[in-house]
Every structure is written in C-alpha cells, then in structure tokens.
Amino acid sequence: MCLFLFPVGSASLLGDRMWHFAVSVFLVELYGNSLLLTAVYGLVVAGSVLLLGAIIGDWVDKNSRLKVAQTSLVVQNASVILCGIILMIIFLFKTQLLTLYHGWLLTMCYILVITIANIANLASTATAITIQRDWIVVVAGEDRSKLADMNATIRRIDQLTNILAPMAVGQIMTFGSPMIGCGFISGWNLMSMCVEYLLLWKVYQKTPTLALKCSKVEESELKQLNIKKENDMKPAEGVQLIVEKDVTGFEPQQEKEVGCAARIAEPFITFRDGWVAYYNQPVFLAGMGLAFLYMTVLGFDCITTGYAYTQGLSGSVLSLLMGASAITGIMGTVAFTWLRRKCGLIRTGLISGVAQLSCLVLCAISVFMPGSPLDLTVSPFADISARLFENEPLPTIASPGGEPEVAFATGMPNLLNGSTTPAYADPEMSPEPVPLISVSLLFAGVIAARVGLWSFDLTVTQLLQENVAESERGIINGVQNSMNYLLDLLHFIMVILAPNPEAFGLLVLISVSFVAMGHIMYFRFAQKSLGKQIFACCTPDPKAVSDSSLPGNTSTV
C-alpha cells in the first residue's frame, strides 16, 4: 500500500509547492511589481484556514475516507486549473481589461483569482488532513514503527519538493513567460489529478480497513461497553442494552426537521466544539508547542531572504543556503526515526527541542556581533513617514527595461525582473561593506536548527496521530492547522510593525523566545506523560501503558 500512497503524496506535494510559489509571482507580475495582491492573498489564506480549519476537519470526520479524499483532490486541482486559465486570459488581454468599465473588470478578475486560489488552499488543507493524518495511520495499522517511517518519508519528499518545485517553475518563467508558467501548472495539475485519483482508489481497494470508520456515537458506545465490562456485566447484555438504547433514541432524531436558524448556527457550533475538543486533548500542550514554532522569522521565507540581501548576500549564496537547509531537514527526519527507536516518542521530542534551542542560541548571539544592524533608536516607520509628510517621492532607480522603480531603504534587489543589482547601484550611494560575521552566525543557527525542528515536528505529528480518537482526527488536526496559521499570521504582523533591518535583531530575539516557550509547553506535556507512565509501571496492573501512550487517552489506533 505504501508503494501507492507515497506517489500520491509526492505528486500532491509537488503540485502544491509549484502553485504556492507561482501564484505569488503571478500576482506580483499582474499588479505592476507591487506586493499588494500577494499580501492580500496571504491574509485571505491565513484568515480562511484560521476560521474554517475546524469546519473542514469536521467535514473530514463525518464523511467516508474515499469521498473526502476524492472530493478534496478534485476541488483542489480543478481550482488550480481554473485559476491558471483565468491568469492566462488576464496576461493576454490585460490592456483591454484595463479600459473596460474603468478597470473594474480587471479588479473583479483579481478578486476572482484570489478567491479561487483560496479555495484551492482550503481543499489542499483537507487533502493533507485526510491523507497525512488519517489514511497513513490506518495503512500503518498497529505498527507504530512503520507509522514513524512513513511520516519521515513523506517529510523527506516535502523537503525535496520544496527545492525542486520553485526551481522548475522559476526556469520555465525565466526562459518562457508567466503565461507559459500558468499553462504548465494547469497541465501538471490536470495530469496529476488523474494519476492521484487512480492511486487513491488502488490504496483504498488494497486496504479494507479504510472502509471502516468509527463515528462519535460508536466510540461512545464502546466506552460505555468498557465501563460495563469493568463492572462485571456480561458482554452480550452490554451490547444489547446499548443497541436498544441507540435504536430507540436515534430514530426520532432523524424525523426532526432542522430549522433555518439551526443550520445557520451549525458552523459556529462546530467551530466552538472543535476548539473545545482541541483544548481537552491529552496532547494539547504538545500541539500548542508546535504552533508556537510558527511565530518566528528564523526560516527561509521572504522576510529572512530580504534581510539577507540587505546584509550583502547574493542570490547564488542564498540558493546554496536553502539547499543546505533542505539537507539538514532531511537529516532531521532520519534522526527522528533513530531517536524514536532508541528513546521512545515522547523523549524524542525533548531531545529534538533541546537540539533546536541549542542551535538557535547562535541566532541570538548574532544579534550582538559585528555587522548586525541592530539599532532600537531607529523608529520603524521613520524613513517612510518622513517622506510622506514632506510630500517627497521615494527615490527611484533605472530598471533593466528602462522603467523607473522605487529604491527601498532596505536596498532590496529587483528580484522580480531578474536583476540582482542592489537598490544602491550608484557608487556614491553604495554603503560600506557590511561584516558578514553576524549574518553568517544567523544562518548557521537557522540551518543547524532544522535538524531539531523537523524531528520535533514529526514527533508532535505522530503524537496527534496515535492519541486522538479516530472520530476526531479531522477536526483536531483542522484546529491544529488553524493554530499554526494564527501564529504564522502574528509573525507577519510583527514584521509589519518593525519592518526596518535595524529592528530585525529584535525580531530574532522575540522568535527565539517563542520557540523556547513552545518547547517549555512540550516539556510540561512530557513531564505529565512520563510521570504517569512511571506510576503505571510501578503498579501491578498488567495494562501498563507504553512510552507513546498518554494520560487520559482511551482511544486505540
């Protein structure tokens, strides 16, 4: 079954990575090399997952596995294909669209693209929940070592696609055009959708247990049955009483008509119940610890990349650093499987957390080293606000095409047009060379910390897989995604409040603090869990829990 499941994950991850990279570039190209549409898209995506994560997870729980997987797969790929076609039309007829209805038609096209792209992201979230959080658990069965190996393999595939996808799309757009890039991604998703659909059907046919899915009612019945057994009640009587109670109490509920107000309130109730259920999970602190790791600028996103350019690193050096980051990430997946086998799952998370924090100490030290632009006396919006109040335009430079462009105070290169020339291209404006000690320590810490980061991520992922009830896997993982997006959104807000390079050192220290708080939460979770296990091992009860079992957990995988 793994032979079919891994190609499904590979094709899905590669398609996702290509689209996520390309859609931001397409939106920048459409809006005249402005980041406005990209920022709006990012805000809409984060807000949608934050609000709808629990509802998507609840939908995953309430429907059959095959229906959820196929529906989310078709919706995701069809949305990307449709979005690609619309983008091709906009690129072809942008001039004509600008003249129609005073440009409102083009604005509506922008809104349509962002809306459909957001739908694709929500469908991708549903696909990830059902395949990576549910199907993989059922396919692995009771073999937790196999589950760990499968999780690690999927994460390695994710790391590889994170490098290959931007390279492929970037080359196509560089030697072709954005319109050719849209056509390529649309064609890839059409072909990928057909292949993934067939492979999912193969996995479903070869794994009969995927057709069995316990509902919340059935799980509550099993809990009642276990309680009755503990009270020395005969099993047959226990089953008979539960079935009769279920039959007599369930039929009238089916006959009741659901009012309009109840239908309107249902999503809000689901949202509330999802967050309450997440809070009541025995792995709540572990999940919160993982979410806090998203509140950081210490990653290879656009923020850290932009800061690196202000410190004198070239695009080629950054690409090498990104490759090294992917390699250490893969090393983290290897370390996870080895540590889990030697030390157990919970202790693996502790070791991974210590390793990550130890490496991030280098990032904190880099803030105070030579070459660091840290200067808290500089107001975050001093340069921009001064120019706005003085009614002076921002300085411009000549682009390769001859068009004037804004020269930002950060000295950011003109990446969108393929130029790596800094904004301060004039020799009279060019600053003195910046010492590379600070930025070197920063990226050394970020790259080395990926080993602990991805090992910790896999630990929490498997804890959620093993210890969340089958009927709640979707909604709990949906809320977990919402928490991740919430903290990720907060880190972008943090950058907006302090956008200058002089304040980046402060952002680094705040990021390290949030990572430390996340691991403190996990330490508290591990302390409770391991303490419970030691107590259970000291009692003569033969049902002693294993290292991966948790206090208060009565579900079985």
Side-chain angles (χ1 to χ4, degrees), residues 131-372:
I131 298 297
Q132 299 181 25
R133 301 292 187 269
D134 186 27
W135 280 49
I136 193 173
V137 180
V138 178
V139 171
E142 297 291 336
D143 191 346
R144 293 182 175 180
S145 295
K146 182 179 180 182
L147 178 61
D149 292 337
M150 293 176 70
N151 283 328
T153 301
I154 289 180
R155 189 67 70 225
R156 288 168 198 149
I157 295 171
D158 183 43
Q159 290 294 302
L160 290 174
T161 55
N162 197 22
I163 300 175
L164 297 177
M167 286 176 59
V169 176
Q171 293 300 315
I172 291 171
M173 294 181 63
T174 300
F175 295 102
S177 65
M179 192 176 67
I180 295 176
C182 291
F184 173 78
I185 293 176
S186 297
W188 172 270
N189 279 269
L190 179 61
M191 181 179 63
S192 173
M193 178 176 63
C194 299
V195 174
E196 290 177 60
Y197 198 95
L198 292 175
L199 291 176
L200 282 175
W201 176 254
K202 283 283 187 182
V203 174
Y204 190 80
Q205 291 294 317
K206 291 181 176 293
T207 312
T209 50
L210 286 172
L212 305 176
K213 194 172 187 179
C214 292
S215 64
K216 291 183 179 180
V217 175
E218 291 171 339
E219 287 196 348
S220 64
E221 290 175 355
L222 290 174
K223 290 180 181 179
Q224 293 177 17
L225 181 60
N226 290 332
I227 294 174
K228 292 179 184 297
K229 283 182 178 180
E230 291 176 0
N231 293 330
D232 296 327
M233 178 176 285
K234 294 181 181 180
E237 292 179 2
V239 174
Q240 185 177 0
L241 287 173
I242 292 169
V243 172
E244 288 177 358
K245 183 178 180 180
D246 183 63
V247 171
T248 55
F250 185 72
E251 286 183 352
Q253 292 180 358
Q254 287 182 327
E255 296 175 359
K256 292 182 180 179
E257 294 184 0
V258 180
C260 181
R263 290 183 181 276
I264 295 175
E266 185 177 359
F268 299 97
I269 295 173
T270 301
F271 179 84
R272 181 202 64 191
D273 292 345
W275 284 87
V276 171
Y278 178 76
Y279 176 77
N280 292 327
Q281 291 297 315
V283 291
F284 166 70
L285 286 176
M288 284 293 294
L290 177 63
F292 265 60
L293 268 58
Y294 282 77
M295 176 67 175
T296 178
V297 296
L298 302 175
F300 282 90
D301 56 5
C302 55
I303 295 168
T304 309
T305 303
Y307 172 76
Y309 273 107
T310 68
Q311 299 303 295
L313 295 186
S314 64
S316 60
V317 172
L318 271 176
S319 63
L320 293 175
L321 293 176
M322 291 182 68
S325 173
I327 292 173
T328 54
I330 294 173
M331 290 170 59
T333 64
V334 176
F336 164 74
T337 55
W338 185 83
L339 285 172
R340 196 205 67 86
R341 195 177 303 112
K342 297 292 184 181
C343 307
L345 186 60
I346 295 177
R347 293 181 180 86
T348 298
L350 289 173
I351 297 171
S352 302
V354 171
Q356 184 184 8
L357 279 174
S358 301
C359 296
L360 292 182
V361 170
L362 293 175
C363 300
I365 294 174
S366 71
V367 175
F368 308 100
M369 297 301 289
S372 173

Side-chain angles (χ1 to χ4, degrees), residues 368-382:
F368 308 100
M369 297 301 289
S372 173
L374 179 65
D375 185 0
L376 299 181
T377 62
V378 178
S379 175
F381 300 103

